[in-house]
Amino acid sequence: MVIVRQHGEAGQLLDISSLLADVDCFFRTDQWQISVESCLGSNALSVEEASFSGLSLSDSEFRSLYRGIYQTIDGRFCGFGEGQRLFELLVVDSSYWEVTGTPAFEAHILATYGAWVQPQ
């Protein structure tokens, strides 16, 4: 597991929409299990209510549902391919992502987004 920041050097938000391109480079995801406690954007309340206790979606259903969300404050996203868990993306308090996957995927995410450093 690696822990990377959710906000870049220039303050830009690094949310799930940013991470999806990286996911697509490493995995062929056909199923998502998501649980979102809090998010912002179009349809946010519906996403929170539908997924709070966990929701399983196809890749296309997930991307369609999450299209209008621009920030995830607290949530867990697990990607599956052919019935096998491939990776997990956990966002905590709109501060950082805990990313679990293959060593190559984790190394790529760490190099791309940078390690999260706990504020003093």
Side-chain angles (χ1 to χ4, degrees):
M1 177 192 54
V2 296
I3 301 176
V4 297
R5 57 191 173 197
Q6 193 185 19
H7 297 85
E9 291 289 332
Q12 75 275 27
L13 184 61
L14 307 170
D15 205 65
I16 192 74
S17 58
S18 303
L19 293 169
L20 285 176
D22 301 293
V23 165
D24 291 344
C25 288
F26 284 84
F27 305 107
R28 187 176 191 134
T29 309
D30 55 34
Q31 195 75 22
W32 289 84
Q33 286 185 345
I34 69 168
S35 176
V36 178
E37 290 181 39
S38 184
C39 62
L40 299 172
S42 168
N43 205 28
L45 185 57
S46 296
V47 169
E48 293 167 357
E49 289 174 348
S51 72
F52 185 79
S53 297
L55 181 63
S56 185
L57 303 159
S58 71
D59 186 56
S60 61
E61 290 170 329
F62 167 68
R63 290 173 193 253
S64 177
L65 175 71
Y66 228 72
R67 184 171 292 127
I69 304 301
Y70 63 87
Q71 183 174 10
T72 308
I73 298 166
D74 288 292
R76 178 183 309 269
F77 307 86
C78 296
F80 293 81
E82 297 181 5
Q84 299 294 315
R85 184 173 163 167
L86 303 171
F87 59 88
E88 179 179 272
L89 311 169
L90 173 70
V91 63
V92 178
D93 196 28
S94 190
S95 297
Y96 60 88
W97 287 95
E98 292 180 3
V99 178
T100 305
T102 63
F105 179 62
E106 290 179 9
H108 169 79
I109 293 295
L110 187 59
T112 302
Y113 297 97
W116 178 72
V117 177
Q118 186 171 9
Q120 304 260 344

